[in-house]
C-alpha cells in the first residue's frame, strides 16, 4: 500500500494511519463517525434528522440559490477573530463525536496540526478556520445547509453517503433524468473543482477566502473546500469524475482529516493563551475586516 508521494511535505508514516488512536485520542478510531440509527438515543436522532433534512432538500436548484444568496458577501463585515468567537455558540447538530462549542474544535484541530508540522504555519491556520463557514447558521441558514458531510448534486448519489438508503427519499433530483444517472450533468473526469457539492460551510469558507484575497496557499484552500466530502476522500466514491491532479488534493485532505476528526475527544486547549500566536497567522494570511 503506497499512500504518500515523496514530494508532499506532509509525509505520513502509513502505519500511523492504521493506528491513529494511539497518537490522537483516548477513544478508539472505530468509535468515531457512528451513524447507526437508534431512536432511543437523542444525540443520534438529532444527527439523523439533520441529514434527513439535508438529503431531502439539497437539490441542484437549492444549491444554485445558496450560491446566489451567499456569494455576494454582503451579509456582514467581521474579523476572523470575531467569526471564531461566534462559533462559541454553535453546537454542530450533524456531529456524533462532539458536543463542545465549535471554537474548541477549531483550536484542537489547529494545535494538533501544529504539533505535527511546526514549520507549516499555514496548516495551523487552516485547522483554526476550516469550519468558520458555519457562521451561516447565525444568519438564517438551517444547519442542514451549513454542517455535515457533503455530496455531489446533479448526478446519482453515491452509495457511501451517510444514511444513504432512507435519507434521500422524496428528493426531486432522484427522479429527474438530468440528474439521476451516473454522470448526470457532468462529463467523465470533469475534475473536482467543477463539481457542484451540496451547500455547506466548506464551499462558503473557500469562497470567503477567495473574495477577501487571502494569501493562504492553494492546498489550504482546497482542504477547506473539500474537507467534508467524505464519500470522495474517505470512501473512494466519484472517482470517475476526478482528474489525476485531484489525487494530490485528496492526500492533503486525508492528512488534515486526522486532526479534524480524531482530536474531537482530546483535551480542551487554553484558548486565551493561544490567541497571540494565531492572531499573528491571521494577520499574515487573512488580515483585517472581511466581507462575509
Ligand atoms: O458533522 C461533521 C461536521 O459538520 C464537520 O464540520 C464536517 O466537516 C464533517 O464532514 C461532518 O461530518
Ligand atoms: Fe467541517
Ligand atoms: Fe472540523
Amino acid at each position: 500500500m503506497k499512500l504518500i508521494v515523496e514530494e508532499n511535505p506532509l509525509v505520513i508514516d502509513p502505519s500511523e494511519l492504521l493506528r491513529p488512536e494511539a497518537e490522537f485520542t483516548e477513544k478508539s478510531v472505530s468509535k468515531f463517525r457512528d451513524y447507526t440509527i437508534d431512536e432511543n438515543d437523542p444525540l443520534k436522532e438529532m444527527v439523523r434528522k439533520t441529514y434527513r433534512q439535508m438529503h431531502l432538500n439539497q437539490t441542484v436548484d437549492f444549491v444554485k440559490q445558496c450560491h446566489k444568496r451567499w456569494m455576494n458577501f454582503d451579509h456582514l463585515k467581521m474579523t476572523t477573530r470575531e467569526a471564531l468567537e461566534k462559533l462559541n455558540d454553535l453546537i454542530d447538530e450533524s456531529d456524533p463525536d462532539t458536543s463542545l462549542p465549535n471554537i474548541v474544535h477549531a483550536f484542537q484541530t489547529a494545535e494538533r496540526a501544529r504539533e505535527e508540522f511546526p514549520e507549516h504555519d499555514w496548516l495551523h491556520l487552516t485547522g483554526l478556520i476550516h469550519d468558520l463557514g458555519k457562521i451561516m447558521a447565525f444568519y438564517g441558514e438551517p444547519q442542514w445547509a451549513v454542517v455535515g458531510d457533503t455530496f455531489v448534486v446533479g448526478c446519482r448519489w453515491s452509495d457511501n453517503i451517510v444514511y444513504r438508503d432512507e435519507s434521500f427519499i422524496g428528493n426531486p433530483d432522484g427522479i429527474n433524468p438530468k440528474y439521476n444517472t451516473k454522470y448526470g450533468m457532468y462529463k467523465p473526469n470533469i475534475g473536482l473543482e467543477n463539481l457542484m457539492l451540496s451547500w455547506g460551510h466548506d464551499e462558503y469558507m473557500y469562497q470567503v477566502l477567495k473574495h477577501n484575497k487571502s494569501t493562504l496557499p492553494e492546498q489550504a484552500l482546497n482542504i477547506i473546500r473539500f474537507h467534508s466530502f467524505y464519500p470522495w476522500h474517505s470512501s473512494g466514491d466519484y472517482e470517475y469524475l476526478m482528474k489525476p491532479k485531484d489525487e494530490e488534493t485528496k492526500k492533503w485532505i486525508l492528512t488534515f482529516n486526522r486532526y479534524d476528526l480524531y482530536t474531537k475527544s482530546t483535551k480542551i486547549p487554553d484558548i486565551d493563551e493561544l490567541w497571540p500566536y494565531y492572531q499573528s497567522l491571521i494577520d499574515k494570511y487573512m488580515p483585517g475586516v472581511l466581507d462575509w
Side-chain angles (χ1 to χ4, degrees):
M1 180 170 66
K2 186 86 181 83
L3 289 161
I4 313 304
V5 238
E6 293 319 327
E7 59 274 18
N8 185 341
L10 292 184
V11 175
I12 315 159
D13 170 358
S15 63
E16 272 180 21
L17 286 180
L18 303 174
R19 49 165 183 75
E21 73 276 24
E23 218 202 338
F24 285 83
T25 171
E26 315 84 59
K27 177 166 156 182
S28 90
V29 162
S30 60
K31 299 246 165 62
F32 286 91
R33 293 183 58 81
D34 174 3
Y35 295 101
T36 51
I37 295 173
D38 177 353
E39 281 166 17
N40 299 315
D41 180 333
L43 177 74
K44 283 203 160 96
E45 276 298 279
M46 174 186 76
V47 174
R48 188 183 63 80
K49 285 182 179 152
T50 304
Y51 275 103
R52 170 60 179 146
Q53 289 305 311
M54 179 198 290
H55 295 162
L56 178 63
N57 295 304
Q58 292 245 9
T59 58
V60 172
D61 285 346
F62 177 81
V63 176
K64 284 184 182 162
Q65 283 166 28
C66 292
H67 287 189
K68 273 207 198 109
R69 192 159 59 244
W70 287 100
M71 289 193 200
N72 292 323
F73 310 100
D74 56 2
H75 289 259
L76 71 157
K77 296 194 185 300
M78 189 163 60
T79 63
T80 302
R81 179 167 183 158
E82 284 163 347
L84 271 160
E85 281 171 347
K86 278 210 151 292
L87 291 188
N88 229 334
D89 299 327
L90 185 82
I91 307 282
D92 182 327
E93 293 170 7
S94 73
D95 195 338
D97 296 310
T98 186
S99 37
L100 294 170
N102 223 261
I103 192 172
V104 175
H105 167 62
F107 278 92
Q108 285 173 324
T109 309
E111 281 292 285
R112 194 61 193 83
R114 185 180 175 192
E115 262 168 51
E116 193 162 0
F117 292 103
E119 68 282 22
H120 294 324
D121 65 354
W122 60 268
L123 191 64
H124 318 161
L125 183 61
T126 303
L128 190 74
I129 65 163
H130 75 283
D131 276 341
L132 263 195
K134 291 181 186 173
I135 60 130
M136 284 189 292
F138 299 107
Y139 301 94
E141 208 57 62
Q143 286 222 10
W144 55 263
V146 173
V147 299
D149 297 356
T150 54
F151 58 94
V152 186
V153 298
C155 67
R156 186 185 298 146
W157 305 303
S158 91
D159 288 339
N160 289 300
I161 300 170
V162 297
Y163 309 106
R164 168 71 176 82
D165 292 342
E166 307 94 62
S167 200
F168 285 91
I169 294 170
N171 179 318
D173 284 1
I175 50 164
N176 187 335
K178 274 194 318 198
Y179 302 142
N180 69 3
T181 60
K182 177 173 173 187
Y183 289 104
M185 62 185 197
Y186 306 105
K187 295 199 169 56
N189 304 106
I190 185 168
L192 181 59
E193 66 194 327
N194 297 312
L195 299 175
M196 188 184 277
L197 298 194
S198 52
W199 181 251
H201 63 290
D202 298 38
E203 179 71 19
Y204 176 54
M205 193 57 205
Y206 168 80
Q207 296 291 347
V208 165
L209 290 164
K210 284 289 222 197
H211 172 82
N212 288 288
K213 308 213 168 11
S214 164
T215 53
L216 275 167
E218 202 194 334
Q219 298 91 309
L221 299 176
N222 282 332
I223 289 171
I224 290 165
R225 191 178 196 183
F226 300 112
H227 74 272
S228 304
F229 191 14
Y230 275 81
W232 168 67
H233 67 61
S234 293
S235 299
D237 292 344
Y238 301 113
E239 276 310 311
Y240 44 87
L241 293 171
M242 300 300 154
K243 285 190 174 141
K245 72 161 186 169
D246 299 330
E247 262 316 287
E248 186 63 19
T249 305
K250 190 192 273 186
K251 288 192 186 98
W252 287 90
I253 291 176
L254 287 176
T255 297
F256 178 81
N257 185 247
R258 300 183 309 143
Y259 317 139
D260 188 10
L261 183 56
Y262 301 125
T263 57
K264 283 179 182 167
S265 71
T266 53
K267 65 176 178 4
I268 299 186
D270 183 340
I271 294 178
D272 288 338
E273 192 190 310
L274 293 169
W275 260 118
Y277 173 66
Y278 285 98
Q279 188 61 52
S280 74
L281 303 186
I282 293 168
D283 294 342
K284 179 171 172 187
Y285 292 110
M286 48 193 302
V289 179
L290 310 181
D291 302 331
W292 297 83

